[in-house]
Amino acid sequence: MQIHLSENFTYNKLLRFVMPSVMMMVFTSLYGIVDGLFVSNFVGKTAFASINFIMPFLMILGTIGFMIGTGGSATIAKTLGEGCKDKANRHFSMLIYTTIITGIVFTIIGIIFIEPIARLLGADGQMLGDCVEYGTIILCALTFFMLQNVFQSFLVTAEKPHLGLYVTVAAGVTNMILDYILIVPLKMGVAGAAVATAISQAVGGLVPLIYFAGKNNTSLLRLTKATADFKTLAKVCTNGSSELMTNISMSLVNMIYNFQLMRFEGKDGIAAFGVIMYVNWIFVSIFIGYSIGSAPIVGYNYGAKNTGELKNIFKKSIVILFSAGIALTVISIAFARPLAGIFIGYDNALLNLTEHGLKLFSLAFTLCGFNIYGSAFFTALNNGFISAVISFMRTFVFQAAVVIILPIFFKTDGIWFSLIVSEMLAFIVAAALVFIKNKDYNYM
């Protein structure tokens, strides 16, 4: 049965509502790492290191989609809660058209600058060629990637989270099948991995676009004519700035990680970090999916001034996230070696390095769920500033500082320990802001 934003949520109902978003994000992470899986096992560890080396730059260009999706979802959910459906549709349409235009512009910029950026980051020789080849092909589908990220949030707000899951699965299956065909029998190397990903992103971006514009659309939202509303667009960008900051910061910090690991471990360090980040993406995507899935509920009840349900959602979310964090930490440590072995089981020294790093990295799962949700929760309350503060401190200030400082004393172990240290510092900031702002929103 369809669950509506206006309902009273039990644990069972809340988990049922957010589960499609969680599965959608997990599956997105899974098919996002398929490139690495095939490239590592069938092309080699240098090519594997290359795609992980250039990925932060590609992610920075795609972050506008995350910003518009999360910021716009919060604004539109609040508008729907206020009973203004026509206004919500106009704003929704404007945001989709804005995403398309921005995607085209960023594609052109990315293709022009990808080679000098790769050189600046330190790529040379075969790694440079692989970075440019992979990145150029991926950038051709950047607009679809941005639309896919936008629709992941809007499909939940439109009360169609299951459609978002189906689209993600379809895109993922497309990527997996094409990865095998293009890399294994056709031996296209990194180009094959890039083509497979680009086509899958086209599936993920185009299918929801057609649905929202079509006659069979039965959701709360519909693509219509839109007029430029720069005040609303500015509000959306401000409100989604935390997600923008999160993704840009993560990409910049990953570049610092790559730089440090290249100093201490060479290309093996880059490859090990790539594997660790793949596992990290899968597990962290659970928290991100929960935050995306529950945000429209928070936004709707905030717009409807239903503080009782705000308290209910907040309390249940904290219990769920801390329980999940402990479970994921235990799983990650227990299965560190087999998880790493999926990617680099052919190199025992690299496998040992990756297993050790993954065990230390995994300690952060106990706290990062609360930190991720804290930022998303304030975005849903249309408080982009507080959300951005939490996000910026967590994903950039603390991580950048510790990954630069700790290796001075602990070398490679300092790099692996940096995430748990930064999450501890972010937890202090997030918890303090949650308690301070309660007087304004009354969610505790």
Side-chain angles (χ1 to χ4, degrees), residues 70-79 235 239-240 242-243 291-303 310 313 372-384 387 441:
T70 52
S73 177
T75 299
I76 290 171
K78 180 175 180 289
T79 305
K235 175 66 176 175
N239 202 33
S242 60
E243 279 65 32
S291 299
I292 290 174
S294 61
I297 306 173
V298 175
Y300 183 92
N301 284 286
Y302 173 59
L310 271 181
I313 294 298
I372 291 169
Y373 180 76
S375 177
F377 184 73
F378 283 109
T379 296
L381 292 173
N382 283 257
N383 192 328
S387 176
Y441 299 101

Side-chain angles (χ1 to χ4, degrees), residues 6 21 27 30 80 92 112 117 142 150 169 189 191 229 242 257 270 275 328 356 365 374 390 400 417 419 424-425 432:
S6 56
S21 296
F27 204 87
L30 283 172
L80 290 171
F92 166 70
I112 291 173
I117 290 293
L142 181 65
V150 168
V169 170
D229 186 342
S242 60
Y257 271 100
I270 304 296
V275 174
L328 291 176
H356 178 67
F365 294 137
I390 296 173
F417 267 123
L419 187 61
M424 290 171 64
L425 295 172

Side-chain angles (χ1 to χ4, degrees), residues 305-327:
K305 303 187 186 305
N306 188 353
T307 56
E309 190 60 21
L310 271 181
K311 293 178 181 179
N312 176 48
I313 294 298
F314 182 80
K315 178 181 177 181
K316 287 180 168 58
S317 295
I318 297 303
V319 173
I320 291 170
L321 290 165
F322 274 113
S323 299
I326 294 171

Side-chain angles (χ1 to χ4, degrees), residues 3 5 9 13-21 156 161 293 297:
I3 302 174
L5 297 175
F9 283 83
K13 191 177 292 184
L14 178 58
L15 288 172
R16 282 167 51 206
F17 187 84
V18 302
M19 193 54 64
S21 296
V156 180
I297 306 173

Side-chain angles (χ1 to χ4, degrees), residues 370-408:
F370 176 83
N371 297 335
I372 291 169
Y373 180 76
S375 177
F377 184 73
F378 283 109
T379 296
L381 292 173
N382 283 257
N383 192 328
F385 176 75
I386 296 297
S387 176
V389 168
I390 296 173
S391 178
F392 182 66
M393 298 301 287
R394 171 182 172 263
T395 59
F396 186 73
V397 175
F398 294 143
Q399 281 205 54
V402 295
V403 80
I404 291 172
I405 295 171
L406 291 184
I408 296 174

Side-chain angles (χ1 to χ4, degrees), residues 99-120:
T99 302
I100 294 172
I101 295 170
T102 306
I104 295 171
V105 172
F106 277 30
T107 294
I108 297 170
I109 294 173
I111 291 174
I112 291 173
F113 287 102
I114 188 165
E115 182 171 350
I117 290 293
R119 288 185 184 277
L120 181 64

Side-chain angles (χ1 to χ4, degrees), residues 163-277:
L163 179 58
L165 174 60
Y166 300 150
V167 171
T168 300
V169 170
V173 171
T174 299
N175 189 36
M176 293 173 185
I177 293 173
L178 290 177
D179 263 326
Y180 172 77
I181 294 172
L182 298 177
I183 294 175
V184 183
L186 296 183
K187 301 185 183 303
M188 290 178 60
V190 294
V195 170
T197 297
I199 293 174
S200 71
Q201 289 172 349
V203 172
L206 280 175
V207 172
L209 183 68
I210 294 170
Y211 172 76
F212 280 116
K215 296 180 180 179
N216 295 324
N217 180 358
T218 59
S219 73
L220 294 179
L221 299 175
R222 176 177 297 277
L223 275 174
T224 62
K225 291 182 179 180
T227 55
D229 186 342
F230 294 109
K231 181 178 180 180
T232 298
L233 183 59
K235 175 66 176 175
V236 167
C237 292
T238 301
N239 202 33
S241 60
S242 60
E243 279 65 32
L244 176 71
M245 186 60 63
T246 295
N247 287 279
I248 291 178
S249 298
M250 287 173 59
S251 296
L252 292 174
V253 168
N254 284 348
M255 292 178 185
I256 300 175
Y257 271 100
N258 285 333
F259 176 79
Q260 292 284 65
L261 284 164
M262 185 71 85
R263 287 178 56 215
F264 288 101
E265 301 291 343
K267 292 179 181 179
D268 277 6
I270 304 296
F273 182 63
V275 174
I276 292 170
M277 289 311 298

